Amino acid sequence: MTQELAPDVHDRSAGRHTGWWRSAVIYQVYVRSFADGNGDGNGDLPGARARLPYLKDLGVDAVWLTPFYASPQADGGYDVADYRAVDPMFGTLTDIDDLVRDAHALDLRVIVDLVPNHCSDQHEWFKQALREGPGSPLRERFHFRPGKGEQGELPPNDWNSLFGGPAWTRVEAEGDGEWFLHLFAPEQPDFNWEHPAVRDEFRSILRFWLDLGVDGFRIDVAHGLVKAAGLPDIGHNVEMGLLNTDELPFFDQDGVHEIYRDWRSILDEYPGERIAVAEAWTPTLERSARYLRPDELHQAFNFEYVMAGWDAAELRRIIDETLAAMAPVDAPATWVLSNHDVVRHRTRYGSLPRARAAALLMLALPGSTYLYQGEELGLPEVTDLPDSVRQDPSFFRDNGQEGLRDGCRVPIPWGGDRPSYGFGASEGSWLPQPARWQDLSVQAQTGDPGSTLELYRAALRLRRELPGLGDGELEWLEAPEGVLAFARPGFVCTVNLGAAEAEMAAPGEVALSSEPVVVRGGLVRIPADSCIWWAV
Ligand code: NOJ
């Protein structure tokens, strides 16, 4: 289906090194919840394609699409049954091809999700491996093992799944009884990356999407592919969870880097600076930087920043540690506040003013930034979803205690005064939207200078205009207790994380602020939980 690519649309920067990704603002589209093109209550690729002009107007540089591949959706599409097919719920290969083309015509780049640690139990390889039975070479593409105990009734080791319960499931079939490894849900068997067929298959998958014209990949569980030889026991209790950064025999093993060096050489064969960003939860920022050595990946998500509280000292420490960790490998820092796996930052930080201030702070930091759909609308986490609509696999495996990820995945409101608030033609959506979301819709906020949407639009416009923003360095400035102040060329950012208003000398002209500010007699009063951008 892949057609001849029109060079004028796809290879805009062929042969020219722009380092576009070093300063890029990348917008995460959670496809099922972004825009519904066919009125079935599920977001899809045609819906997302139709909203590209909105993203262009918002001012982002690139779009990251969460998995839209053929999948039974046991884990929101992170259980892939066919890496080269689009799930009918999301559209067709023609739809993704059209989306990439339209994005490029708007000068937006497109990053797709790649899920190499595991597939779906409905993937052809896994179905074959199950059918062929113990001893079959086809089982070697996964981690099948006999159990422990007299009858093999115990899991092969003590690893637990990140979604709760053992990381092993026993094959029930008569005469079988082997166990297979799944770090996530039982419907997500882990690939064995020691097997050459797995490596070859993913090289081919990378090329498939690069040929179609995508600008890069977000690599799911990038730190998990290689497991310690012999799959040794951990030996002690570990509190497992998606956000785990402990040292573990299945995470951050040195062997993963060889894979990324191989992938980098493939990316570099293609024109237009195709990139890869690692989802790698590692014990330290230094360990994350290892994925970003010059011959490996381009970026890694900064999860330390996501996990930080609304606290001046803590944020300053993480900003410093991030910049220090990235410098030796010459990688840009990345910043992120929200994604589809964590509680939306408006709710995490406890208020809309904090969320607005946090956005301005983040967008002023050196490097590249990831935005999660709906944060530009100031959406809160939806905390009262009925159990009957929940889909997060960890909700079912942990008796509901950790089923928190659905609340940030509720379809976003575009306009109108009734559900689905312009999300699609249907009255409902796969996860129900709260009442009164009309007030937060794109339509309701557009043109209102006090709205969060207009704040993001203004910030992204300034970020393009002011040469001092994006990639580069920062210098901390003296500031009152609870205030962070830093300078970049021609620019100063001041953010008050304290509980009270703070006063300091105005460092320049107010360019943008998350709350109204008063500057008088060369002094500025910075409201609590607010951020100001200064042109100097
Ligand atoms: C990280 C993804 O962001 C998350 O949504 C998914 O459940 C796990 N990886 C497993 O693929």
Side-chain angles (χ1 to χ4, degrees):
M1 168 333 312
T2 312
Q3 310 127 345
E4 193 63 23
L5 303 176
D8 51 332
V9 175
H10 283 298
D11 294 337
R12 301 164 315 293
S13 54
R16 193 157 49 90
H17 179 85
T18 62
W20 68 272
W21 44 279
R22 299 188 67 94
S23 298
V25 176
I26 301 174
Y27 184 98
Q28 179 185 357
V29 167
Y30 191 80
V31 180
R32 195 171 179 189
S33 302
F34 186 63
D36 171 14
N38 65 0
D40 68 354
N42 295 297
D44 47 37
L45 294 172
R49 179 184 174 208
R51 299 294 185 180
L52 290 172
Y54 165 78
L55 297 177
K56 179 67 187 170
D57 177 62
L58 180 62
V60 302
D61 302 291
V63 178
W64 150 30
L65 301 171
T66 53
F68 49 75
Y69 314 109
S71 163
Q73 306 292 326
D75 179 23
Y78 286 95
D79 49 319
V80 180
D82 183 345
Y83 289 85
R84 298 179 187 80
V86 172
D87 196 278
M89 174 164 72
F90 297 125
T92 62
L93 272 179
T94 305
D95 292 328
I96 182 63
D97 196 49
D98 288 345
L99 186 154
V100 172
R101 246 164 225 287
D102 279 15
H104 287 174
L106 288 168
D107 204 16
L108 290 170
R109 286 172 156 99
V110 180
I111 290 172
V112 296
D113 228 302
L114 185 74
V115 190
N117 180 68
H118 47 264
C119 58
S120 159
D121 62 355
Q122 297 308 305
H123 189 282
E124 211 38 60
W125 282 15
F126 190 72
K127 290 201 292 192
Q128 280 172 1
L130 276 189
R131 268 198 311 267
E132 298 279 320
S136 158
L138 293 182
R139 288 209 166 176
E140 289 164 19
R141 295 164 173 180
F142 300 92
H143 296 281
F144 280 90
R145 293 284 184 283
K148 286 187 173 160
E150 268 174 36
Q151 314 291 330
E153 71 282 10
L154 299 172
N157 70 17
D158 66 357
W159 298 0
N160 277 327
S161 148
L162 275 75
F163 291 152
W168 295 91
T169 290
R170 195 171 194 194
V171 185
E172 298 286 348
E174 190 64 32
D176 195 316
E178 281 198 329
W179 298 72
F180 66 89
L181 176 70
H182 52 86
L183 292 184
F184 296 88
E187 295 87 352
Q188 294 168 293
D190 279 48
F191 282 116
N192 172 14
W193 272 87
E194 304 305 329
H195 199 296
V198 173
R199 297 195 181 217
D200 281 349
E201 176 65 356
F202 274 88
R203 287 187 192 110
S204 154
I205 293 166
L206 282 176
R207 289 186 191 282
F208 178 86
W209 292 103
L210 290 166
D211 287 341
L212 187 133
V214 304
D215 299 282
F217 300 92
R218 176 263 188 196
I219 300 167
D220 189 64
V221 200
H223 55 315
L225 277 47
V226 172
K227 278 74 181 174
L231 311 184
D233 278 337
I234 298 169
H236 56 269
N237 264 343
V238 181
E239 183 78 22
M240 284 311 297
L242 205 57
L243 320 184
N244 195 294
T245 55
D246 292 350
E247 281 186 32
L248 292 163
F250 44 80
F251 280 158
D252 197 29
Q253 301 294 306
D254 287 343
V256 291
H257 297 286
E258 187 186 322
I259 298 169
Y260 299 131
R261 281 193 285 272
D262 181 34
W263 290 7
R264 178 60 179 259
S265 68
I266 296 175
L267 292 169
D268 285 350
E269 282 172 28
Y270 285 79
E273 292 173 276
R274 317 288 174 103
I275 68 153
V277 50
E279 188 223 14
W281 295 84
T282 63
T284 62
L285 282 156
E286 287 69 28
R287 292 294 300 185
S288 292
R290 291 163 56 89
Y291 293 76
L292 307 178
R293 288 174 287 194
D295 57 349
E296 296 194 37
L297 306 177
H298 298 74
Q299 297 182 337
F301 291 115
N302 187 344
F303 292 121
E304 307 257 346
Y305 197 70
V306 182
M307 303 315 290
W310 185 245
D311 179 86
E314 188 180 359
L315 283 171
R316 178 169 170 163
R317 176 181 59 76
I318 291 170
I319 292 166
D320 280 339
E321 286 177 8
T322 302
L323 297 174
M326 297 303 131
V329 290
D330 191 30
T334 68
W335 312 100
V336 57
L337 290 167
S338 286
N339 64 34
H340 64 294
D341 290 330
V342 301
V343 173
R344 282 187 178 276
H345 65 271
R346 167 169 172 184
T347 303
R348 234 177 38 236
Y349 285 155
S351 75
L352 182 59
R354 285 184 179 178
R356 290 163 56 92
L360 288 196
L361 165 61
M362 171 172 75
L363 287 166
L365 293 171
S368 171
T369 297
Y370 280 81
L371 304 180
Y372 178 51
Q373 66 178 40
E375 73 170 79
E376 78 278 22
L377 305 176
L379 293 188
E381 183 81 2
V382 178
T383 52
D384 57 358
L385 284 171
D387 287 357
S388 58
V389 304
R390 286 195 180 273
Q391 312 244 346
D392 186 338
S394 63
F395 174 75
F396 302 99
R397 283 177 67 82
D398 266 331
N399 289 331
Q401 281 156 39
E402 272 200 57
L404 288 174
R405 295 189 302 165
D406 296 310
C408 61
R409 299 177 179 181
V410 174
I412 66 172
W414 291 91
D417 52 16
R418 278 184 307 133
S420 59
Y421 303 118
F423 167 65
S426 67
E427 284 179 10
S429 47
W430 71 284
L431 289 173
Q433 298 157 307
R436 298 205 55 79
W437 261 23
Q438 69 265 37
D439 300 345
L440 292 173
S441 74
V442 171
Q443 188 186 38
Q445 297 196 38
T446 295
D448 171 358
S451 73
T452 301
L453 177 56
E454 294 299 349
L455 181 73
Y456 271 75
R457 284 187 174 139
L460 293 170
R461 193 181 57 244
L462 277 173
R463 198 179 142 105
R464 283 170 182 271
E465 285 169 13
L466 298 174
L469 293 185
D471 198 20
E473 290 171 5
L474 67 69
E475 183 195 338
W476 293 107
L477 304 175
E478 287 278 327
E481 173 84 21
V483 173
L484 293 180
F486 58 87
R488 314 216 38 207
F491 175 90
V492 165
C493 176
T494 55
V495 54
N496 183 358
L497 298 105
E501 184 181 83
E503 194 175 70
M504 63 185 282
E509 298 283 320
V510 176
L512 186 65
S513 63
S514 66
E515 300 296 325
V517 282
V518 184
V519 182
R520 204 169 286 132
L523 290 177
V524 58
R525 292 159 168 254
I526 313 177
D529 298 333
S530 77
C531 182
I532 308 172
W533 282 10
W534 304 87
V536 297

